[in-house]
Structure formats: C-alpha cells, structure tokens
Amino acid sequence: MITIWVPKRLVEIDLCNVAARSGPELAAACEESYARRLRYAARKIRQSGAKIIMLTGPSASGKTTTSHKLAAVLREMGTPAQVISLDNFFRGSEYYPKMPDGTLDYEHPDTLDMPLIRQCLQELSQTDHTVLPTYDFVKEERAEKTEPIDLAGGVCIVEGIHALNPMLTSLVPSGHVYRIYAGLREEYCQEGRRLIGTQDIRLCRRVLRDAATRGRSPEKTLAMWERVLDGETRYIKGFKNTADFLLDTAFTYELAIIAGLLPEVGRVMSPDSIYTEMWDETARRFEHVEPLGRELIPEGAMLREFYR
C-alpha cells in the first residue's frame, strides 16, 4: 500500500497567542481533538479486523503514551487490547552494531532480536498467545523474567521506532496487520514564514522529558539529537508511506507550554557548553509565543509524558 499524506498545518503564532489567552478553554479543546483522533483510529482498527497493530513514529512523537491510550479506547469499545513495547526485545549492548566512529548505533534495527519478534508476532497471529522477553535497562541486558500474553480474541499494539519495518511482519498475513504512524502535523509561522517546525517541538519535548524523568542533562540530550535524526531518516521515515493510518499527536496549546518552560533549561545550561548555541537558536524561535503554565495540562494527558 502506498499512502500520500496531506501537508502539515501551518498556523500563525499570533493566532495561537490569541487562542492561548483563553487558557483552559484552548487546552480543553486540544485535548478533546486528540481524544477524537484516538476514537477514529480505534474505529479504523476495528473495521480492519487486524489482530496486530504496528505503531511507530519519530522520537518524542508521543507513540508510547498514545499506544496505551489507544488500547484503552479499544477496550472501551469492547475490543480487548494490550500494548507490547519493542524495547523489551533489545538484545543487549554487547550485540549493538557500531557507527563508523566506533560508537554504538542505538537506532539500528539489529539492536533488536528480530527472529524472536517475528516468532512472537506469528504466534499471536495464529494462536493469540506468546511469551514476551523483558529487558533490564539498568544492566542493558535481557532479563530472566518473561511475560505470557493472551490476546483473548482482541488485538495487540506493538510500539517502537522499528514497528513499520517489514522485517518484523514478514511472517504475518497482511490482513492480520494494521500499520499506524504517529507524528505531529502542525507547524507555526509568523507573517507567513515558517518559524517553528515539528522537529523543534520534538526536540523540546525530549530535552524536557529526559531532564525531568531520566536524569539526563540537556547537553547530553542535545549531543544525541543529530544521531537520533539520522536514525529516523535511515530506519523510520522510509516506511511512513506503508502506514494505513497517520495519527496526529500535535497540540496547539503545547506551543505556549514550551515557551513557559524554556527558561528552566537555559538556567541549567553551562555557558561554556558547545550545545548552548544550539539550544539558544531553538529557544529564539519561541520568542514571540506567549507562555502558559504546565498546570494547564490535565493529569493523565499524553503531554504529561514530556512535561511533568
């Protein structure tokens, strides 16, 4: 299947600022829009009759939280649904491929146990049952614990950056698989000139999330960013047009939330860091955005994955 997606929305920052003055009303409208997208995606999945839903998206697109929220909507509609993370199929750091400079290539598909993934997907497709591995992220190795899965006549949502790679689904009948690409579909301009793109939003999401929940300094996240983008080009975006459905994970009011949080990052950045200029350039794009406080984000909202 070849899919052609419509262009991203381009919204004037001044219009976002006007809308943001309503505060809670804008946030509520954006959250309801996202909920409608989830419900529509769930209906499409049910209509497809597929057992295995492969969901991917670039870094910080919200694919993990979106997968769990989509599963919850499916269950509300009467379809049993579980989420499987491809992260549990990591082989371990000793097996990771290396980049030309000798560093580990964390984005490469061979970081995953491909034969085991194909085996589990085939078993789920044919019998509704399989046994999943688990991964110890502290030790960076496969854990001894396993997890049995029973679809109970429902579906599983398999999420991860390589979920649309045909290497994973080659043994599963095509009618049993439904492919979703999660990505932001809204960008922002000033006087018609694009100023803030989806990549800028994703970088801010990742910097703020990593600092708040993973103990990772902004410098460390920024140091990885070019490599992350290179991995997306090589291993994710090439399969985008094979998706059956594109799930929009953009929130207009997020622009103002980011504008309010950017100073926090600037205060912890070292003036001598080689990444300070890179971050300052990103922050300058938000200079004309009127900020809002993160308290407007509802508890349990997808954006809480990034802004705690």
Side-chain angles (χ1 to χ4, degrees):
M1 171 183 178
I2 297 177
T3 306
I4 300 175
W5 303 112
V6 297
K8 295 173 182 174
R9 301 182 298 278
L10 190 61
V11 182
E12 281 281 350
I13 290 176
D14 286 346
L15 291 178
C16 293
N17 288 337
V18 171
R21 290 167 196 160
S22 68
E25 289 80 5
L26 175 62
C30 293
E31 293 294 337
E32 175 53 33
S33 175
Y34 174 68
R36 286 197 300 271
R37 291 174 236 156
L38 288 176
R39 290 193 293 269
Y40 183 68
R43 289 196 295 271
K44 297 291 284 185
I45 289 170
R46 284 163 57 91
Q47 291 168 7
S48 75
K51 286 186 177 182
I52 298 172
I53 316 307
M54 306 298 287
L55 190 150
T56 195
S59 176
S61 59
K63 57 185 172 293
T64 300
T65 303
T66 293
S67 295
H68 286 278
K69 288 188 172 297
L70 182 56
V73 172
L74 284 163
R75 290 191 290 268
E76 290 172 4
M77 292 181 173
T79 298
Q82 301 183 56
V83 177
I84 296 174
S85 173
L86 289 178
D87 287 356
N88 279 319
F89 289 88
F90 281 135
R91 301 168 65 207
S93 58
E94 62 183 298
Y95 300 104
Y96 288 0
K98 292 185 177 181
M99 303 287 284
D101 63 2
T103 58
L104 297 180
D105 186 354
Y106 289 96
E107 313 300 322
H108 198 285
D110 285 348
T111 58
L112 301 174
D113 189 337
M114 290 292 191
L116 182 57
I117 296 173
R118 289 196 294 268
Q119 175 187 323
C120 290
L121 292 180
Q122 187 177 32
E123 290 172 352
L124 287 170
S125 173
Q126 295 175 351
T127 70
D128 272 13
H129 296 83
T130 195
V131 177
L132 301 176
T134 58
Y135 190 75
D136 187 326
F137 285 90
V138 175
K139 296 181 179 178
E140 288 198 75
E141 62 184 27
R142 179 81 51 83
E144 293 184 7
K145 178 185 175 183
T146 58
E147 181 184 0
I149 292 290
D150 179 1
L151 296 186
V155 303
C156 67
I157 300 174
V158 182
E159 67 90 9
I161 63 173
H162 298 295
L164 295 194
N165 192 316
M167 292 171 60
L168 302 188
T169 55
S170 58
L171 297 180
V172 181
S174 59
H176 288 201
V177 179
Y178 192 80
R179 297 167 177 83
I180 296 177
Y181 188 95
L184 290 78
R185 303 297 299 167
E186 186 167 280
E187 299 187 314
Y188 308 94
C189 65
Q190 190 173 41
E191 298 178 352
R193 180 174 64 90
R194 191 181 78 122
L195 190 63
I196 301 173
T198 57
Q199 187 173 302
D200 299 311
I201 300 292
R202 293 195 294 112
L203 175 59
C204 292
R205 282 182 175 185
R206 181 152 176 164
V207 167
L208 291 161
R209 178 195 63 191
D210 288 359
T213 66
R214 302 185 180 184
R216 185 175 294 159
S217 70
E219 286 91 345
K220 189 168 184 179
T221 301
L222 291 167
M224 298 169 56
W225 189 240
E226 286 302 320
R227 192 161 292 175
V228 169
L229 295 180
D230 177 64
E232 291 173 1
T233 300
R234 286 186 291 155
Y235 306 125
I236 302 175
K237 293 184 177 180
F239 302 118
K240 181 178 179 180
N241 284 347
T242 68
D244 300 296
F245 188 84
L246 192 154
L247 183 53
D248 185 0
T249 55
F251 296 78
T252 302
Y253 81 106
E254 182 182 6
L255 195 69
I257 300 294
I258 292 173
L261 294 174
L262 288 179
E264 294 183 11
V265 178
R267 284 192 289 269
V268 301
M269 290 280 288
S270 168
D272 301 325
S273 170
I274 62 173
Y275 299 104
T276 298
E277 184 178 350
M278 175 182 174
W279 180 253
D280 287 347
E281 181 181 345
T282 300
R284 278 194 294 272
R285 299 176 185 273
F286 291 81
E287 286 180 346
H288 300 285
V289 179
E290 295 182 11
L292 290 174
R294 78 180 92 194
E295 65 274 5
L296 286 178
I297 306 174
E299 289 299 323
M302 190 276 274
L303 290 179
R304 284 287 175 184
E305 176 183 344
F306 305 102
Y307 314 115
R308 298 297 177 91

